[in-house]
Amino acid sequence: MNQVYLIYGNEPQLIEEEKQKFFLSHKNLDVRVLHDEAGPSKISEQLMEDSLFGDAKVFCLINLPILKKAGQKESQEWNALADLLMNYTGDNPVLIIYHDMVDKRLKQNKKILDAIPHKECKRLEGDDLLMWIRHYCTSNGFTLTPDGYDYLSQLLQLWQDVPVAFMRTEFDRYFLLLGNHKKIDKSFLMEHSSNYGAKNIFTFKEALLKQDVNTLLELFPFMFSYKEIDRAMGYIEGQLRLQLLVSECRAAGMTAKQVENFCKENGSTLKPYPIKLAYEASSRISITALKVLLKGLYEVILDSRTSKGDMWRFRDLCLTYCGYKG
């Protein structure tokens, strides 16, 4: 039976979780860790040792250059170790950890992946990351409410390349703050989540739809200095377009459920909960004013892509929408 298992990828937290699962399945065995610095000869010798004295162990091999990168110089010694691992028949379980993605186009890599059971741990994004967060909450006895889920979903539209390790640290902190209160909702997340850019942009969008001039004025300096302002304005425009769609549907006499079905029938990926929130907000939002704001925002975004953007115009558009007279 092949006792070799390979874990690889660019998400350290997921690699760590898979590693602990492997160790737990062999919890009665000691672990011997060997890095690539040990060299192929020493690693081969260690693997080939007979367990004469009953000292069975788990070998954990870290970042061995048996997996190739384009242009990498060939090494007969490492290739021989790769062959040994692909055909390993020893009694000691072997875990190979490779902290990077694998180029599956290369013949050597494809050969190893075909021969050795493996798990890819790549950076999670969008719905995959949200699913991990929800599972992590549930496994710790907490529930992420629909509005909390929607809040995180919108933050992740703005905040790319979020490490799972960061989200785990964040939620571990939330669990301590919540104690016996087991529900994680939007209001809690807005109050306690770390103060990164995406959080401010979400708050800005919420203030704009609520015509909260004071909050907008507080956040304009941040918006003006935000290094990814084009993405931020694109997100705000998308949220405003969602609000306009739902508001027009409600004005036409449609119920929230009918709006949801309408979106689904037309191939939209909008989730039911954001539609519900936009429907509830539509009674206090002027469709005419929202159209003017969207038209102006589209022009600002278009100009910014040709280096002619005027953020002060963006400020004026937002304040005009809120009915601010100065």
Side-chain angles (χ1 to χ4, degrees), residues 209-224:
L209 287 174
K210 293 177 181 177
Q211 299 177 310
D212 179 354
V213 173
N214 290 332
T215 299
L216 291 178
L217 290 173
E218 289 177 6
L219 288 174
F220 273 124
F222 164 80
M223 295 293 287
F224 285 8

Side-chain angles (χ1 to χ4, degrees), residues 16 95 123 160 240 246 319:
E16 180 63 25
L95 176 64
R123 180 66 55 85
Q160 297 183 342
L240 295 179
V246 175
L319 295 180

Side-chain angles (χ1 to χ4, degrees), residues 72-100:
Q72 179 179 330
K73 186 177 179 180
E74 286 292 320
S75 167
Q76 292 184 357
E77 292 81 4
W78 285 114
N79 288 344
L81 178 57
D83 289 338
L84 171 62
L85 289 166
M86 285 186 283
N87 298 284
Y88 181 73
T89 57
D91 295 328
N92 295 322
V94 180
L95 176 64
I96 305 170
I97 297 177
Y98 187 71
H99 290 97
D100 203 349

Side-chain angles (χ1 to χ4, degrees), residues 103-313:
D103 188 342
K104 300 172 185 175
R105 299 168 300 175
L106 301 181
K107 183 178 180 181
Q108 169 76 352
N109 295 346
K110 188 176 185 305
K111 183 179 177 183
I112 290 174
L113 294 178
D114 286 343
I116 298 176
H118 56 272
K119 174 73 174 182
E120 181 181 73
C121 297
K122 65 180 180 179
R123 180 66 55 85
L124 297 182
E125 298 177 350
D127 288 344
D128 290 334
L129 182 54
L130 286 167
M131 187 181 301
W132 183 92
I133 291 170
R134 175 174 279 173
H135 173 75
Y136 191 63
C137 290
T138 302
S139 64
N140 283 276
F142 292 83
T143 300
L144 188 63
T145 64
D147 66 341
Y149 185 91
D150 178 59
Y151 175 70
L152 286 172
S153 177
Q154 294 190 53
L155 288 188
L156 293 175
Q157 291 179 41
L158 290 158
W159 189 24
Q160 297 183 342
D161 298 325
V162 187
V164 172
F166 176 86
M167 297 309 300
R168 177 170 180 162
T169 301
E170 277 283 275
F171 276 83
D172 285 345
R173 181 167 60 85
Y174 300 159
F175 299 157
L176 291 173
L177 290 170
L178 285 162
N180 293 326
H181 182 72
K182 297 298 183 181
K183 291 189 181 297
I184 303 175
D185 59 15
K186 174 183 171 182
S187 62
F188 174 86
L189 291 170
M190 291 186 71
E191 181 178 356
H192 295 287
S193 59
S194 296
N195 192 25
Y196 43 82
K199 179 179 179 180
N200 287 340
I201 296 163
F202 179 89
T203 303
F204 185 94
K205 182 266 297 183
E206 292 281 282
L208 182 59
L209 287 174
K210 293 177 181 177
Q211 299 177 310
D212 179 354
V213 173
N214 290 332
T215 299
L216 291 178
L217 290 173
E218 289 177 6
L219 288 174
F220 273 124
F222 164 80
M223 295 293 287
F224 285 8
S225 64
Y226 189 55
K227 64 180 180 179
E228 297 182 0
I229 187 61
D230 285 350
R231 186 192 301 167
M233 288 196 295
Y235 162 77
I236 291 170
E237 186 210 16
Q239 293 298 305
L240 295 179
R241 280 192 282 106
L242 164 63
Q243 185 62 61
L244 179 60
L245 168 66
V246 175
S247 294
E248 289 184 326
C249 287
R250 180 169 181 168
M254 295 172 66
T255 66
K257 187 64 178 176
Q258 287 173 327
V259 176
E260 181 186 330
N261 291 337
F262 171 77
C263 292
K264 189 181 299 183
E265 289 165 2
N266 285 275
S268 171
T269 58
L270 290 170
K271 303 289 194 301
Y273 194 75
I275 294 173
K276 173 179 177 291
L277 293 180
Y279 193 89
E280 293 171 351
S282 60
S283 61
R284 56 178 169 77
I285 290 176
S286 164
I287 291 178
T288 300
L290 189 55
K291 285 182 177 179
V292 172
L293 174 59
L294 265 170
K295 180 177 182 296
L297 181 56
Y298 175 76
E299 291 170 353
V300 169
I301 292 173
L302 188 62
D303 285 345
S304 73
R305 291 171 181 168
T306 57
S307 302
K308 297 186 295 184
D310 183 356
M311 287 301 295
W312 288 101
R313 185 184 175 201

